[in-house]
Amino acid sequence: MASNTSKTARASVRAGQAGQGGALSVLGEFKYLIPLNNGKHAYVRNLTNGKTVHLRTDSNAFVEEIRVLTGAGHGTKIRAELQALAASNPNHGWDATEKRLVDAGVFEA
């Protein structure tokens, strides 16, 4: 069976699922965003469908992927991750990425 996800993305998902035991208690530790290329790209891990996608953080596809996750109730955690990334890497543009998502109405109820 061929897969469109990269070996690194699959390994990332497996690492995130290790020790899960089938329970959703992993939500407290689950990272949705894996930053790449100084914030220009990111792996977005989707708990709802089990897929990890590689996207440009300034793309419409990134906005839509985050919108889907927010619609599934993960918006608060994703926004907290964006703020933590902005604090730990102030020159990577995560604050601008969060602003772009807010302007697109992604985090609105």
Side-chain angles (χ1 to χ4, degrees):
M1 173 172 70
S3 177
N4 289 337
T5 57
S6 70
K7 182 169 55 171
T8 304
R10 290 190 303 272
S12 172
V13 169
R14 280 192 304 274
Q17 293 172 341
Q20 207 173 25
L24 289 179
S25 62
V26 75
L27 284 176
E29 304 168 20
F30 190 82
K31 296 290 184 199
Y32 294 92
L33 301 172
I34 301 168
L36 302 166
N37 195 18
N38 296 327
K40 293 181 180 121
H41 298 88
Y43 283 126
V44 179
R45 298 168 69 190
N46 189 329
L47 182 65
T48 61
N49 63 16
K51 295 185 179 182
T52 300
V53 292
H54 178 257
L55 299 168
R56 284 188 59 87
T57 55
D58 61 355
S59 70
N60 289 334
F62 179 81
V63 171
E64 291 310 311
E65 188 71 20
I66 301 300
R67 189 183 312 275
V68 167
L69 287 167
T70 299
H74 305 286
T76 304
K77 177 88 166 83
I78 292 170
R79 195 156 189 194
E81 279 189 37
L82 286 166
Q83 291 167 352
L85 286 168
S88 63
N89 302 297
N91 58 342
H92 289 188
W94 291 106
D95 51 347
T97 299
E98 181 185 9
K99 182 180 182 325
R100 207 170 18 260
L101 291 169
V102 169
D103 291 347
V106 171
F107 298 116
E108 294 176 359

